[in-house]
C-alpha cells in the first residue's frame, strides 16, 4: 500500500533518500558504503526505513553518502567518508547516521560529489569534505572532516553543490560561486585551472532566487521565472542549440516560466509555474523521463497532466514528489535507485514503493 506522505526527496550517485510526513527517512538503491544506513551493504530495490532518525525536515544525497536535517536544525550524515564528507574524522564509511558537530542551527543542506554545504539560520554557510578545487570556500585546498565557515558570505538564502563546485544565493538576489572552473561552471567569464577557494560574485546576473549545480555546469533561476545556464554543454544541458560551453550565464530561451530547478550530472529538470516538469540534456539512461533515450537540448515537458512539487536529479536518475505527496523516480536502476522493487531502468516516471 503506497501512501502520499513524502515531504522531501533527494537523488544521489546511485541511491535515493526521502523524508516522510511523520519525520522518518526512507532510503533505497546502492548501499556499497552504507548510504542506506542499514545493517548490511546490500542494495535495496524498495525503500527501507532508517530507524535512528526522527523529526527530519530535509534530505540531501551525495555520490555515495547521505545527509538529513532535523527540525531542531541539526545535520545528520552517513555513508562514504573517505574525504571527510560526513563531517567526521573517523572511518572510511558509516552505516549509522551521526550528527555533524560544530555547526550553528542549520536551515538547509546540500551534497556534492564528496563535499557538503549547510546554510545556517544567521545566513552564513558552512562546508566540509573534499576541497581539491576550493569547493569548501574557506581560502584553502585541504579536505576538512569538520565544518568550516565559507568566507565572505552573509544573508544567504539558498545553496547548491555540484561535483566540485558550490553555489550560494543571497537575499538581495546575488549569486556567488566557488570551486572548480575547468569548464567555466563558475560563470565568471572564463574557464581555467586556477583555484577558486572563496566565493566570487557572478556579476552578470541579478534578482536570482535559486541555483543548481550539475557535474561541470550551473543553472540559475531568476525571481521572474527566467532560467540561465553556463559551463559544459556536451550533452545540451545548457538548453542551447549550439553544443559549445559558455563561461557566462545565458538564458535558456525555450524554458517555460519556472519555479524550481534541479541539475543531475549532465541533465536538468525544472518545475514550471504551472507545476509541470520539464527536462533536457543527457538521456543515456532515460533520466529525462521523456519515454525515449534521445538526448535533447530543448526543455520538454514530461506530461501536461502530471504535477510535481519537488524534484531531485542524481547521476543518472531523478526522483520527484507529486502534488499529492507520492514519490516517483526514473532513469538508471542498476542498483535499485528507482525504488520500484526492480532493477529495471525506466524511461518514464514509476512510483516508488514507499511503505
Amino acid at each position: 500500500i503506497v501512501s502520499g506522505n513524502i515531504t522531501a526527496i533527494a537523488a544521489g550517485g546511485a541511491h535515493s533518500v526521502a523524508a516522510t510526513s511523520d519525520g522518518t527517512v526512507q532510503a533505497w538503491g546502492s548501499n556499497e558504503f552504507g548510504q542506506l544506513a542499514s545493517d548490511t551493504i546490500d542494495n535495496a530495490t524498495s525503500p527501507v526505513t532508517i530507524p535512528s532518525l526522527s523529526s527530519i525536515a530535509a534530505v540531501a544525497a551525495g555520490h555515495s553518502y547521505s545527509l538529513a536535517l532535523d527540525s531542531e536544525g541539526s545535520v545528520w550524515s552517513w555513508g562514504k567518508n573517505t574525504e571527510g564528507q560526513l563531517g567526521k574524522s573517523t572511518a572510511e564509511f558509516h552505516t549509522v547516521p551521526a550528527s555533524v558537530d560544530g555547526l550553528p542551527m542549520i536551515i538547509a543542506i546540500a551534497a556534492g560529489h564528496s563535499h557538503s554545504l549547510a546554510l545556517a539560520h544567521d545566513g552564513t554557510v558552512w562546508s566540509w569534505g573534499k576541497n581539491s578545487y576550493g569547493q569548501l570556500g574557506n581560502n584553502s585546498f585541504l579536505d576538512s572532516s569538520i565544518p568550516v565557515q565559507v568566507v565572505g558570505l552573509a544573508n544567504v538564502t539558498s545553496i547548491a553543490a555540484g561535483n566540485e563546485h558550490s553555489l550560494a544565493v543571497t537575499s538581495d538576489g546575488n549569486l556567488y560561486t566557488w570551486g572548480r572552473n575547468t569548464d567555466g561552471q563558475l560563470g565568471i567569464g572564463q574557464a581555467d585551472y586556477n583555484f577558486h577557494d572563496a566565493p566570487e560574485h557572478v556579476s552578470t546576473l541579478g534578482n536570482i532566487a535559486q541555483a543548481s549545480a550539475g557535474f561541470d555546469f550551473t543553472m540559475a533561476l531568476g525571481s521572474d521565472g527566467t532560467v540561465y545556464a553556463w559551463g559544459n554543454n556536451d550533452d545540451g544541458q545548457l538548453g542551447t542549440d549550439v553544443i559549445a560551453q559558455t563561461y557566462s550565464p545565458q538564458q535558456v530561451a525555450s524554458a517555460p516560466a519556472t519555479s524550481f530547478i534541479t541539475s543531475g550530472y549532465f541533465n536538468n529538470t525544472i518545475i514550471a509555474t504551472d507545476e509541470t516538469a520539464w527536462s533536457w540534456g543527457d538521456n543515456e539512461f532515460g533520466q529525462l523521463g521523456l519515454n525515449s533515450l534521445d538526448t535533447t537540448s530543448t526543455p520538454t515537458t514530461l506530461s501536461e497532466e502530471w504535477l510535481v512539487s519537488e524534484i531531485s536529479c542524481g547521476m543518472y536518475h531523478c526522483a520527484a514528489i507529486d502534488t499529492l505527496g507520492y514519490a516517483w523516480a526514473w532513469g538508471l536502476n542498476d542498483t535499485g535507485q528507482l525504488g520500484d522493487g526492480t532493477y529495471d531502468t525506466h524511461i518514464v516516471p514509476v512510483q516508488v514503493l514507499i511503505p
Side-chain angles (χ1 to χ4, degrees), residues 3 12 24 75 117 129 166 176 185 207-208 215-216 227 233 248 258 292 296 304 307 316 330 346 351:
S3 58
T24 58
V75 179
L117 299 177
S166 304
Y176 294 85
Q185 57 262 56
N207 295 314
I208 297 302
F215 187 85
D216 47 16
V227 179
N233 196 31
S248 297
T258 299
S292 84
T296 178
E304 293 180 1
L307 305 182
Y316 296 121
W330 60 96
H346 291 282
Q351 199 159 344

Side-chain angles (χ1 to χ4, degrees), residues 3 25 31 34 65 77 86-87 141 152 165-166 169 186 199 202 237 244-245 282 296 324 326-327 332:
S3 58
V25 174
N31 196 31
Y65 73 102
S77 64
L86 300 188
F141 311 107
H165 70 294
S166 304
V169 178
L186 298 189
V202 181
Q237 60 264 54
Q245 55 192 33
D282 178 45
T296 178
L324 299 176
Y326 293 98
L332 184 63

Side-chain angles (χ1 to χ4, degrees), residues 151-347:
V151 300
L153 287 179
N155 302 312
V156 173
T157 56
S158 174
I159 54 175
N163 179 51
E164 293 174 314
H165 70 294
S166 304
L167 315 171
V169 178
T170 55
S171 57
D172 56 4
N174 286 321
L175 173 65
Y176 294 85
T177 62
W178 63 98
R180 186 168 182 162
N181 193 41
T182 52
D183 290 273
Q185 57 262 56
L186 298 189
I188 54 176
Q190 66 194 51
D192 57 52
Y193 283 87
N194 299 334
F195 294 114
H196 299 270
D197 59 353
E200 299 177 47
H201 178 217
V202 181
S203 58
T204 57
L205 283 178
N207 295 314
I208 297 302
Q210 188 210 338
S212 66
F215 187 85
D216 47 16
F217 70 96
T218 304
M219 270 207 311
L221 173 63
S223 54
D224 62 354
T226 302
V227 179
Y228 304 88
W230 60 95
N232 190 304
N233 196 31
D234 288 349
D235 298 290
Q237 60 264 54
L238 302 188
T240 61
D241 295 332
V242 180
I243 303 297
Q245 55 192 33
T246 61
Y247 307 143
S248 297
Q250 310 289 325
Q251 185 177 342
V252 182
S254 53
T258 299
S259 62
F260 180 86
I261 57 176
T262 181
S263 298
Y265 272 37
F266 311 105
N267 60 288
N268 296 303
T269 302
I270 60 176
I271 302 176
T273 52
D274 64 2
E275 299 181 318
T276 55
W278 300 63
S279 62
W280 68 96
D282 178 45
N283 198 29
E284 181 180 358
F285 300 101
Q287 63 263 45
L288 299 187
L290 299 175
N291 199 26
S292 84
L293 294 173
D294 297 333
T295 290
T296 178
S297 61
T298 303
T300 308
T301 183
L302 277 71
S303 167
E304 293 180 1
E305 286 79 41
W306 188 56
L307 305 182
V308 293
S309 61
E310 185 177 328
I311 297 178
S312 174
C313 289
M315 184 159 63
Y316 296 121
H317 77 291
C318 296
I321 308 171
D322 69 18
T323 51
L324 299 176
Y326 293 98
W328 300 76
W330 60 96
L332 184 63
N333 197 27
D334 61 333
T335 61
Q337 59 263 55
L338 302 190
D340 71 330
T342 77
Y343 288 107
D344 300 332
T345 290
H346 291 282
I347 59 177

Side-chain angles (χ1 to χ4, degrees), residues 3-187:
S3 58
N5 62 343
I6 305 303
T7 55
I9 203 160
H15 74 291
S16 306
V17 187
T20 62
S21 54
D22 63 3
T24 58
V25 174
Q26 306 282 334
W28 59 97
S30 174
N31 196 31
E32 181 182 2
F33 298 99
Q35 56 264 55
L36 305 188
S38 62
D39 295 334
T40 73
I41 56 168
D42 296 337
N43 298 339
T45 61
S46 58
V48 292
T49 302
I50 299 178
S52 58
L53 290 173
S54 60
S55 302
I56 298 301
V59 289
H63 188 266
S64 300
Y65 73 102
S66 307
L67 301 174
L69 174 65
D70 69 25
S71 57
E72 300 290 310
S74 294
V75 179
W76 299 78
S77 64
W78 63 99
K80 191 174 184 179
N81 191 41
T82 50
E83 278 92 18
Q85 58 264 54
L86 300 188
K88 301 286 170 194
S89 58
T90 57
E92 292 192 349
F93 63 94
H94 289 257
T95 59
V96 177
S99 62
V100 180
D101 298 329
L103 287 170
M105 191 175 86
I106 299 301
I107 59 173
I109 50 177
H113 184 286
S114 300
H115 76 289
S116 305
L117 299 177
L119 172 59
H121 70 104
D122 61 0
T124 59
V125 179
W126 299 74
S127 60
W128 60 94
K130 187 176 181 180
N131 197 27
S132 52
Y133 285 90
Q135 59 262 47
L136 299 189
N138 66 328
N139 286 328
S140 166
F141 311 107
L142 299 175
D143 296 352
S144 179
S145 59
I146 59 172
V148 294
Q149 187 172 346
V150 178
V151 300
L153 287 179
N155 302 312
V156 173
T157 56
S158 174
I159 54 175
N163 179 51
E164 293 174 314
H165 70 294
S166 304
L167 315 171
V169 178
T170 55
S171 57
D172 56 4
N174 286 321
L175 173 65
Y176 294 85
T177 62
W178 63 98
R180 186 168 182 162
N181 193 41
T182 52
D183 290 273
Q185 57 262 56
L186 298 189

